[in-house]
Amino acid sequence: MKKHASSGRATCEGGLTGRLLKLSIAGRLDAASVARLWPVVHRLLGHKGIEAIVVDGSGIQYCDGAGTGLLVCIRQTARRLAAHLEFNGLSEEVAGLLSLYPVERILASEKPPPKRTGDLVVQIGKTFWTTLIGLKEHVAFAGELTVGLAKALLHPRSLRTKDFLLVTEASGPQALPIIIMLGFLVGLIMAFQGAVLMKQFGAEIYIADFVGISVTRELGPLITAIIVAGRTGSAFAAELGTMKVNEEIDALTTMGLDPVRFLVIPRVLAATLMTPLLAVLTNIAGFLGGAVVMVGLQFPMVTYVNRLLGAVATADYLGGLAKALVFGLLIAAAGCNCGLRTGEGASAVGRSATRAVVSSITLIVIADGIFAVLFFYLGI
């Protein structure tokens, strides 16, 4: 049995005789040729019952680091199979390259696979400890953020105005197209769904009440917060995470500058102020979506507007804006916190952005539930 592979400048022939595997390698062993020879060598070495391997390297004309890696791989495979290995015909140059990678050094560099523990108690303890560490970091960040916001409000000149305006533009005006489109579609869908139900009772006029209250109190702030979380919160986490990976945040700390004041406070204030304004635009777009349905049902526009003005009270507007304000603060804080806690490596930035979106949406849902209970007991 023989197998042969040719890369134009290098060849590999192999045959299995009983329990003896004979390999004959010839040509130029460079990166291009070794890439083609490697799969063939792996297939030959994968036969069962191999007890001895003989490699004929008399035909090797050139060998670089890639070729040396192939020979080292053959040697390591023979060791793993507990098979006797013999290199024949290697030139002094190739033998010298192979001697640079002694077996002892490779064994010392190999890391044993991590031990898996099946102890459920240990796993629960590790998870609990990790949760406590994360909670401690969240509390510490919340304290730093509170102090920083208080200083910024008491001393407005300490705020970096240029950065604040840039972040405000990115968080607010640049998000208008998607906010308006989603708000319009939400109002349109809610009006259509309400029309299907209310048409059975001849109460299509109450579609305006349904759209106005649901959009103003709940859907407007909630849709806005989700868009801000996916767009702005993830951007904050990615920006600060990249700075953390590039050690720019460590450089600020080394120079005696507070990263929370220079990086976090402008972002938190910008997102907190922009989210209620975006929620107002979402509400208006939702009202327009409901108006399209009402006009399609042959209701005059003035009737729809009058129903909205009568159904939606001032408390509904203010409650929705209060929700949006809190949502914006939570989203910005979660995004900045995840960015500052980014680990090492490029993939850590992606994980931070994902963690920021998940954390933001979780906090939004929890805060929305708290608002629902609060509004219920306040009779709003």
Side-chain angles (χ1 to χ4, degrees), residues 50-264:
I50 298 176
E51 295 182 355
I53 302 174
V54 177
V55 180
D56 181 11
S58 59
I60 299 177
Q61 302 172 359
Y62 171 82
C63 183
D64 60 7
T68 307
L70 180 62
L71 299 179
V72 171
C73 177
I74 295 174
R75 189 180 63 187
Q76 293 300 107
T77 304
R79 176 184 169 274
R80 179 172 52 83
L81 297 175
H84 174 73
L85 176 65
E86 182 178 348
F87 286 103
N88 294 330
L90 294 181
S91 63
E92 294 183 0
E93 179 182 359
V94 177
L97 290 174
L98 189 58
S99 66
L100 295 177
Y101 303 93
V103 178
E104 296 77 11
R105 179 183 301 177
I106 296 177
L107 291 177
S109 63
E110 291 181 350
K111 295 182 179 179
K115 296 182 179 180
R116 293 186 177 181
T117 174
D119 192 350
L120 180 61
V121 177
V122 174
Q123 296 295 332
I124 294 176
K126 289 182 178 179
T127 304
F128 180 71
W129 179 253
T130 303
T131 304
L132 287 181
I133 296 298
L135 180 61
K136 177 183 177 183
E137 293 178 352
H138 282 297
V139 172
F141 177 78
E144 293 180 6
L145 180 60
T146 303
V147 173
L149 289 175
K151 290 182 178 179
L153 295 177
L154 295 176
H155 307 283
R157 293 185 179 181
S158 63
L159 181 66
R160 303 183 67 191
T161 307
K162 184 178 180 179
D163 291 346
F164 172 74
L165 294 178
L166 290 175
V167 178
T168 300
E169 180 185 4
S171 304
Q174 294 183 11
L176 289 180
I178 184 66
I179 285 292
I180 293 175
M181 182 188 71
L182 286 181
F184 179 82
L185 292 177
V186 166
L188 189 73
I189 294 170
M190 294 296 296
F192 269 121
Q193 295 296 329
V196 172
L197 177 62
M198 297 179 184
K199 189 176 182 180
Q200 302 177 13
F201 307 97
E204 293 94 333
I205 188 64
Y206 293 105
I207 295 176
D209 303 56
F210 173 62
V211 172
I213 295 176
S214 60
V215 169
T216 304
R217 291 176 61 98
E218 192 67 33
L219 293 179
L222 195 59
I223 293 297
T224 303
I226 293 175
I227 295 300
V228 172
R231 186 180 178 279
T232 305
S234 61
F236 288 171
E239 291 171 2
L240 297 182
T242 303
M243 297 178 68
K244 181 70 177 296
V245 171
N246 294 335
E247 299 182 353
E248 297 177 28
I249 295 180
D250 294 336
L252 286 175
T253 305
T254 303
M255 291 186 293
L257 303 177
D258 185 10
V260 174
R261 174 195 166 196
F262 276 78
L263 302 175
V264 175

